Amino acid sequence: MGLFSKKQREPLEHPEVVRSIEVPAGEADVVRQLNAYSGLHSPKHAHEIVVRVGEQMGVVHVELPLRMHPWTFHNLAFWLLDTPNARDGLVLRSASDGTNPAYSLVRDPDMGDCMCGVDADGTGWTVHVPGNEVTKGEPVPATAAPPSMSMPATWTEVTVLVEDPQHDLNPRNEATAKSRSGLIPRHMSF
């Protein structure tokens, strides 16, 4: 292999995990946000995924493909925080994949570019969205997500263009910081 050769890596295979985002907004607003998110990415460095969108009792459920990189999940959810009337009301759900228990996340009120929440075991954790850096085991200013509501009766499929971070951004949501405060200096300026 030459000096400037790039080592070929095997594609990262993610386990099948049911991931969804609950947005308290109208379906048309959520679809507009998903389309706007697609517009952020160059087709050269991105690929298409198909998400299912359905509304039930004023909450739009966005169901993602089963083999989704956690960074894509968090990044898309963070973008959906800007859906009209949904600023602080998102709930993320991720079923257990054997590596991480099920969890829910909300906008972190103390740290920019972060989401925080608790997993099914009551463990608090925070994820810095741009770098998918995670800290676990500390108290967070959030509570557990409310129980999941019944699923919508009808779904609409929406094609979304997303970046693929490959191996670069914490593919398993493993803890990468020892404390919540460990996330602040690298990513926030005061």
Side-chain angles (χ1 to χ4, degrees), residues 22 41 65 71 74 81 88 116 119-120 127 135 137 158 162 172 180 185:
E22 297 172 7
H41 309 295
W71 177 83
H74 297 145
L81 281 169
D88 297 312
C116 68
D119 64 28
V127 59
T135 184
V158 178
V162 298
R172 305 271 185 250
R180 283 172 48 85

Side-chain angles (χ1 to χ4, degrees), residues 48-77:
E48 292 181 344
I49 62 169
V50 176
V51 300
R52 293 184 344 141
V53 178
E55 190 170 352
Q56 175 74 9
M57 298 174 52
V59 175
V60 174
H61 297 259
V62 179
E63 192 174 272
L64 285 83
L66 292 178
R67 294 193 182 273
M68 176 66 53
H69 192 294
W71 177 83
T72 304
F73 175 50
H74 297 145
N75 197 277
L76 180 58

Side-chain angles (χ1 to χ4, degrees), residues 20-163:
S20 64
I21 305 166
E22 297 172 7
V23 187
E27 188 171 331
D29 289 332
V30 172
V31 170
R32 271 193 292 281
Q33 277 298 102
L34 291 170
N35 290 332
Y37 184 81
S38 288
L40 297 175
H41 309 295
S42 159
K44 181 179 178 183
H45 301 288
H47 66 279
E48 292 181 344
I49 62 169
V50 176
V51 300
R52 293 184 344 141
V53 178
E55 190 170 352
Q56 175 74 9
M57 298 174 52
V59 175
V60 174
H61 297 259
V62 179
E63 192 174 272
L64 285 83
L66 292 178
R67 294 193 182 273
M68 176 66 53
H69 192 294
W71 177 83
T72 304
F73 175 50
H74 297 145
N75 197 277
L76 180 58
F78 207 72
W79 181 263
L80 288 174
L81 281 169
D82 291 330
T83 303
N85 303 317
R87 191 80 186 143
D88 297 312
L90 287 189
V91 174
L92 283 72
R93 298 193 191 275
S94 182
S96 177
D97 68 1
T99 321
N100 293 296
Y103 62 94
S104 61
L105 296 172
V106 297
R107 180 185 294 273
D108 191 312
D110 301 331
M111 300 171 59
D113 289 342
C114 289
M115 299 180 87
C116 68
V118 295
D119 64 28
D121 298 331
T123 301
W125 64 295
T126 303
V127 59
H128 177 259
V129 177
N132 201 46
E133 294 178 277
V134 176
T135 184
K136 296 182 182 178
E138 286 193 60
V140 295
T143 58
S148 193
M149 301 183 325
S150 61
M151 288 293 138
T154 59
W155 294 91
T156 303
E157 290 189 348
V158 178
T159 301
V160 180
L161 195 62
V162 298
E163 289 183 350

